[in-house]
Amino acid sequence: MNKNFTILLEEFKRISNKGYIRSVTKSFGSIGLTFEKELNKSPDSKYLPDYKGIELKCTSRFSHYPLYLFTIAFDGPNFNEIARITEIYGKPDKDFPDKKVLFAKLDCTYFTEINNQYNFILELSKEEEKIYLAIYDKNHKLIEKISYVNFATIYEHLLTKLSQLALIYASKKTYIKSEYYRYYRIILYTLKSKEKFISLLEKGIIKVGLISRISKSGVDTGRYRNKNLIFEINKDTLCELFDKVYEYNTDFFNKK
């Protein structure tokens, strides 16, 4: 285990020993934000790993939500390609009907129906080293296949952000309308290879969320936000992408 993994492990033990810690926010992602606050982690770029070259992923004990790996935009054919896709294939937002939104969970193994009119699927071209968004009509007749992400873009994000990963588990409880977390388990991983990522994407184990939505609060109300492609994987298949380096579970050790 390398030095930075060792430092993180010792910090995890310190935080775990504090027991239940009050959430710093009520927003989605509070479990991770609370842990990072306990780490005294300074704000940094979302493009870079969270802590000493290690990406941190926090989850609750019984959560079935996938883990978000990283977010990227289409490479082409247009600069703001997702805006074009949203305008053509999206539907009016219920609060801002003059603007369209689009949500889809995509992979390479099955079609996703969009607005009862279209079918989206991801198609890999290993010759071109691109992932295409292929759009078909209800009869599975191809409408277009022009929006793409380069393998090179994926590799850059993957190797920069996910060469090392820590998956951190917490128990959750609510007391007087506030949430509290007790961090009890950490698993440290290293990335297998960039080629393995493409293989898992091709098999549908890694999925992609296409998100183009409108902000509903704050100074950005009515503006587009999260216009991106979000790559994600389930916790139970994480070992297909990463090699486990070490695991520490305070619940297990406390039973000894």
Side-chain angles (χ1 to χ4, degrees):
M1 188 163 55
N2 66 40
K3 179 180 178 181
N4 288 338
F5 271 155
T6 301
I7 293 171
L8 176 60
L9 180 60
E10 291 305 309
E11 285 292 286
F12 171 82
K13 291 178 181 179
R14 176 184 62 80
I15 294 168
S16 179
N17 286 337
K18 298 176 75 169
Y20 278 97
I21 300 168
R22 187 175 181 176
S23 174
V24 297
T25 177
K26 294 182 179 180
S27 65
F28 179 79
S30 62
I31 187 171
L33 294 172
T34 302
F35 186 81
E36 290 184 1
K37 181 178 183 295
E38 291 296 318
L39 276 177
N40 297 313
K41 176 183 172 294
S42 301
D44 56 22
S45 169
K46 292 183 179 181
Y47 180 73
L48 298 173
D50 294 313
Y51 184 78
K52 296 185 180 297
I54 306 165
E55 181 68 5
L56 307 178
K57 299 295 180 185
C58 293
T59 184
S60 60
R61 187 184 292 267
F62 301 112
S63 172
H64 297 291
Y65 287 107
L67 297 175
Y68 298 146
L69 297 173
F70 56 82
T71 301
I72 57 178
F74 284 103
D75 285 313
N78 301 295
F79 172 72
N80 193 4
E81 181 62 10
I82 197 168
R84 183 191 71 84
I85 296 168
T86 302
E87 183 60 32
I88 297 173
Y89 303 105
K91 63 180 181 180
D93 182 81
K94 64 178 182 178
D95 298 316
F96 300 92
D98 59 320
K99 297 179 180 179
K100 291 185 177 180
V101 293
L102 182 60
F103 306 91
K105 184 66 68 69
L106 309 173
D107 74 14
C108 296
T109 62
Y110 67 85
F111 288 98
T112 298
E113 187 178 274
I114 304 295
N115 301 333
N116 297 315
Q117 290 182 278
Y118 311 105
N119 288 285
F120 285 16
I121 194 170
L122 299 177
E123 296 183 1
L124 270 65
S125 172
K126 293 183 179 178
E127 295 77 17
E128 298 179 68
E129 296 194 331
K130 298 180 187 295
I131 300 171
Y132 283 97
L133 172 61
I135 301 175
Y136 295 78
D137 66 15
K138 294 179 68 173
N139 298 314
H140 290 158
K141 180 180 179 181
L142 182 64
I143 298 173
E144 66 167 71
K145 182 181 168 181
I146 59 174
S147 309
Y148 67 86
V149 176
N150 293 314
F151 283 14
T153 301
I154 293 173
Y155 292 159
E156 181 184 8
H157 280 71
L158 184 65
L159 296 176
T160 299
K161 193 168 182 64
L162 290 168
S163 291
Q164 300 178 107
L165 175 72
L167 178 61
I168 297 154
Y169 288 80
S171 295
K172 180 173 68 172
K173 71 176 183 179
T174 302
Y175 179 69
I176 313 180
K177 297 184 180 180
S178 294
E179 289 188 344
Y180 293 78
Y181 301 110
R182 179 178 66 86
Y183 300 91
Y184 69 93
R185 183 185 182 195
I186 184 170
I187 309 175
L188 305 174
Y189 295 97
T190 55
L191 181 70
K192 288 182 183 289
S193 70
K194 60 184 184 180
E195 291 79 16
K196 186 65 174 177
F197 185 93
I198 297 297
S199 173
L200 295 177
L201 186 63
E202 186 175 27
K203 294 175 182 177
I205 294 173
I206 292 174
K207 301 183 185 298
V208 181
L210 190 157
I211 309 290
S212 180
R213 65 182 178 181
I214 305 295
S215 180
K216 299 301 177 73
S217 62
V219 296
D220 292 326
T221 298
R223 298 179 182 177
Y224 278 101
R225 60 174 299 192
N226 294 340
K227 295 169 61 178
N228 294 297
L229 300 171
I230 302 174
F231 289 75
E232 59 187 50
I233 191 170
N234 288 331
K235 288 185 290 187
D236 57 2
T237 56
L238 203 59
C239 281
E240 297 202 38
L241 180 60
F242 297 92
D243 290 316
K244 185 164 75 171
V245 175
Y246 185 79
E247 177 176 353
Y248 180 83
N249 189 326
T250 59
D251 287 0
F252 174 78
F253 283 104
N254 287 336
K255 290 179 181 178
K256 288 293 186 179

